[in-house]
Amino acid sequence: MSTRQSGAPEYELYYWPTIQGRGEFVRLALEAARARYVDVARLPAREGGGERALMRAMKDAPFPPFAPPFLRHKGLVVAQTANILLYVAPRHGLVPRDEASRLRAHQLQLTIADVVAEAHDTHHPIAASAYYEDQKREASRRAGAFVKERIPKYLGYFERVLDRQGGAHLVGRSLSYVDLSMFQLLEGLTYAFPRAMRRQRVPRLRMLARRVAAYEPVAEYLASERRLPFSEEGIFRHYAELDAA
Ligand SMILES: N[C@@H](CCC(=O)N[C@@H](CS)C(=O)NCC(=O)O)C(=O)O
């Protein structure tokens, strides 16, 4: 099992085994909840893991996902990162109970998904199937606009929301999955665009990220071997030439 929890795993998470990617938003929620889960593709093939198991599960699901991450729980297969979090969070107190708060959380999570897609497109603006080296010129233009316009616009928006909420949490009065995802987004952007990120004036978001990192289950996870490193295989990639001058 990929967690320190004992007992049979409750959830099966399916995601690419060597990268943080979009799966990391789900891993963080499961870890923060100290949920019993297995990160299936990270298991050895002889234990029913590996990428083949992932592909098979995706193909065989009665209602197939388009792409990982997806989660199996009690006969349900749930795909799309924001949708998975929408499903998991209420089961573990990672979102307030009332409808307005849940809609707000989902709204923010979908906005985070938009940033993630744009961050991906800075290094793969033409085709996800082509090498970065074959789309470097387009990547440079795309990243230029992302760094100059989109990062400040998105982070400015999240900072404003956090301020309106009182500064402690993005939704509600305690830690929610959106806070966890905001931590991950800031980590990813800082890895990929360290120079651009140094220029962002988002003190509340930074403080929130520090609190999330210090939250015991998250701190334990981040220090464990379960937390994969960022790399140039993932969504947030550091290419110095794409970072701001
Ligand atoms: N909107 C989906 C995107 C899923 C997605 O793009 N997954 C990537 C890995 S992060 C993948 O394997 N895509 C395969 C493909 O698009 O063909 C989500 O948020 O879960």
Side-chain angles (χ1 to χ4, degrees):
M1 213 168 24
S2 293
T3 76
R4 296 171 66 233
Q5 308 305 306
S6 53
E10 191 184 353
Y11 298 99
E12 286 179 2
L13 170 64
Y14 290 83
Y15 193 66
W16 303 115
T18 56
I19 60 168
Q20 292 188 13
R22 289 179 173 90
E24 197 64 14
F25 295 97
V26 183
R27 291 186 183 120
L28 273 169
L30 294 170
E31 292 278 350
R34 293 200 195 277
R36 287 180 287 113
Y37 77 100
V38 59
D39 205 336
V40 177
R42 291 186 70 185
L43 292 175
R46 66 183 136 70
E47 288 174 36
E51 289 191 10
R52 276 189 156 183
L54 181 154
M55 297 306 285
R56 203 179 318 118
M58 193 155 70
K59 199 163 137 277
D60 292 350
F63 196 91
F66 174 73
F70 57 96
L71 192 75
R72 240 175 35 191
H73 182 234
K74 297 190 171 164
L76 251 188
V77 176
V78 186
Q80 287 282 356
T81 310
N83 201 35
I84 299 170
L85 292 166
L86 186 75
Y87 176 75
V88 166
R91 289 175 161 71
H92 297 278
L94 282 176
V95 68
R97 288 179 188 280
D98 64 287
E99 187 178 41
S101 298
R102 288 194 188 186
L103 287 172
R104 287 175 186 150
H106 194 48
Q107 172 181 322
L108 289 175
Q109 193 65 40
L110 289 169
T111 312
I112 290 171
D114 290 343
V115 192
V116 170
E118 290 191 31
H120 169 272
D121 289 352
T122 60
H123 49 81
H124 279 77
I126 302 297
S129 54
Y131 291 113
Y132 165 62
E133 285 68 26
D134 295 333
Q135 43 194 319
K136 272 178 103 164
R137 277 178 52 181
E138 294 89 348
S140 171
R141 288 190 66 190
R142 184 75 191 243
F146 182 68
V147 156
K148 189 158 170 260
E149 297 158 17
R150 304 300 282 172
I151 290 183
K153 186 168 182 180
Y154 276 121
L155 294 190
Y157 164 71
F158 292 133
E159 177 81 3
R160 210 160 60 244
V161 171
L162 186 53
D163 186 34
R164 295 249 175 108
Q165 290 297 108
H169 298 286
L170 282 159
V171 175
R173 301 221 170 123
S174 57
L175 185 85
S176 79
Y177 70 94
V178 188
D179 293 332
L180 298 167
S181 291
M182 188 55 60
F183 159 78
Q184 178 64 12
L185 178 66
L186 293 182
E187 287 288 292
L189 290 176
T190 302
Y191 173 79
F193 305 103
R195 288 204 285 192
M197 283 300 283
R198 271 200 292 277
R199 293 207 301 259
Q200 308 307 312
R201 295 281 165 266
V202 286
R204 289 171 190 79
L205 289 178
R206 290 192 201 285
M207 208 182 300
L208 173 66
R210 280 197 294 276
R211 281 202 312 276
V212 168
Y215 180 59
E216 205 177 312
V218 173
E220 281 176 17
Y221 168 62
L222 296 178
S224 77
E225 88 292 342
R226 298 191 302 284
R227 170 77 165 182
L228 295 161
F230 284 108
S231 76
E232 282 52 66
E233 305 293 316
I235 290 174
F236 297 107
R237 300 187 186 190
H238 179 63
Y239 296 119
E241 63 273 21
L242 299 186
D243 195 4

